[in-house]
Amino acid sequence: MRLADLTAMELVARFGDGSLSPVEVIEDVLARVEELEPRVCATYALDPDGARAAARESERRWRDGSAGALDGVPATVKENIATRGTPVPQGTAATALVPAAEDAPAAARLREAGAVIFCKTTMPEYGMLSSGVSTFHHLTRNPWDLSKTAGGSSAGAAAAAAAGYGPLHLGTDIGGSIRLPAGWCGVVGIKPTHGRVAVGNPYPGRVIGPLTRTAADAALALSVISGYDPRDHTSLPAADDSFAVSVEGLRVALLLDAGVGLPVDPEVEAAVSSAAAVLEKAGAVVEPIPPIITREMLDGLDSFWRVRSAADIAALPDDRRAKVLPEIRQWVSTAGELSGFDVFHGYSQMHAMAAAVTAVFTSYDVILSPVAPITAFPAELAYPTDDPSKPFEHIAFTVPYNMSAHPATTVNVGWSSTNLPIGAQLAVPHHQDLTALALADFLDTAGRDWPTP
């Protein structure tokens, strides 16, 4: 195993006992990036010199006993999470490139803990696609199959995690943008309880969370970046939940039909059902449940987001507006046909989703489902439907938890016949983020050895 493949937990332990140096690790991570990046295209603003300097400072802190919780651990940050001195293009050539004045809260917490942030990671146009298609970045591809998408909008974060660009990667999620790429790339990704991690530029449903290769690493990263920050009025004090769970007697709702959107691929259904069987064998009570959301809810959300994005794009100067990805411009082109009533009704459907999810948790401890109804689709497509008028047919399993603010995480539970990862999603009640990760860890280690290609 190369140093770049060690987990954050392993790195911290070895830095602590002196058997390994942060300088050695960052060199191996940078070598991995140099080797794979021409094909994967996951990075933005790669800073090898800055990373080496930060690793040397970390080495010094380990020697003098002042190391932080993630000291020396290589990390990446999605490009829409501001880092001081680096522009935030939001995946589009339409953005004026202005260096960020300061680190966003989550990036600042990583630095305070000693993590070595060596690059940002790519995202698609305005973060509004579940792919890596962007007018600013190179097309990000899935390390398992370069002809397939890594997902999005945390495209580069998921691809970097799967490719072994170090152990920790921060992404953002407003409708599935951590969990979808994590599922398609075979890694762990958690959408935390809304407010657990300060965003800095809050918006309904928007969260920041880690993508990692293990649930334990995700829990470690989440513990570091959590907590209140005055720059985000929705942020919450740090929680005191623990990375532990008892499966015996756990009430599991098995959701295999989202009720709307693309049909679930039989291989995806089989893999998630196998995960349910592992939990049941360990003593959980597993019960199938009917769909949680409706077509009216998903279409209403589409209407609201369409108008919001249309307003943002309309505010651009003509020359910059012309640079926006054609599929996005086509999607927002019909926003003017929606009435004020339509927009308000669409906004109300966000709350309808939240109420529907909350009702399920009155009877169950966890909702187990696919992350997405399909495996990774061709990389060049902006949407799995290849239809800008139907952009959200694949997010019906993920977006409800953004609207309800519940934490939800992913874990790989199998592989398709074409050797693509299949992810399961575990959603839990508010503030039980580490419980979700503990369940992911159980399925990943104690449940069974999922076959690998």
Side-chain angles (χ1 to χ4, degrees), residues 64-148:
D64 66 23
S66 62
L70 290 175
D71 228 297
V73 176
T76 73
V77 177
K78 188 177 176 181
E79 64 107 307
N80 65 341
I81 303 171
T83 53
R84 185 169 58 86
T86 304
V88 183
Q90 300 182 80
T92 177
T95 300
L97 297 180
V98 179
E102 62 181 359
D103 286 343
R109 294 224 165 124
L110 281 184
R111 287 198 209 275
E112 290 163 4
V116 176
I117 300 175
F118 65 93
C119 76
K120 308 296 286 291
T121 52
T122 60
M123 62 182 284
E125 202 84 358
Y126 287 115
M128 290 305 298
L129 307 175
S130 296
S131 68
V133 176
S134 164
T135 55
F136 182 85
H137 299 294
H138 292 296
L139 177 62
T140 303
R141 296 179 179 275
N142 193 316
W144 292 102
D145 181 341
L146 295 173
S147 74
K148 302 299 184 184

Side-chain angles (χ1 to χ4, degrees), residues 6-17:
L6 294 175
T7 68
M9 301 285 283
E10 290 168 332
L11 290 175
V12 169
R14 293 191 59 180
F15 294 156
D17 67 20

Side-chain angles (χ1 to χ4, degrees), residues 247-332:
V247 177
E248 180 71 35
L250 197 71
R251 299 170 300 167
V252 178
L254 178 61
L255 178 65
L256 294 174
D257 178 9
V260 61
L262 295 174
V264 177
D265 184 293
E267 289 187 316
V268 172
E269 180 175 339
V272 176
S273 296
S274 293
V278 170
L279 293 175
E280 194 166 39
K281 184 177 180 181
V285 179
V286 179
E287 296 178 356
I289 63 168
I292 297 174
I293 68 169
T294 65
R295 169 56 65 182
E296 181 181 16
M297 293 177 189
L298 190 62
D299 286 351
L301 181 70
D302 184 345
S303 296
F304 180 75
W305 279 357
R306 193 178 301 231
V307 170
R308 181 202 69 177
S309 295
D312 290 342
I313 293 170
L316 296 172
D318 289 346
D319 60 331
R320 286 167 52 195
R321 190 183 312 122
K323 296 179 180 179
V324 174
L325 190 76
E327 289 90 339
I328 294 290
R329 283 187 275 131
Q330 184 178 342
W331 173 56
V332 303

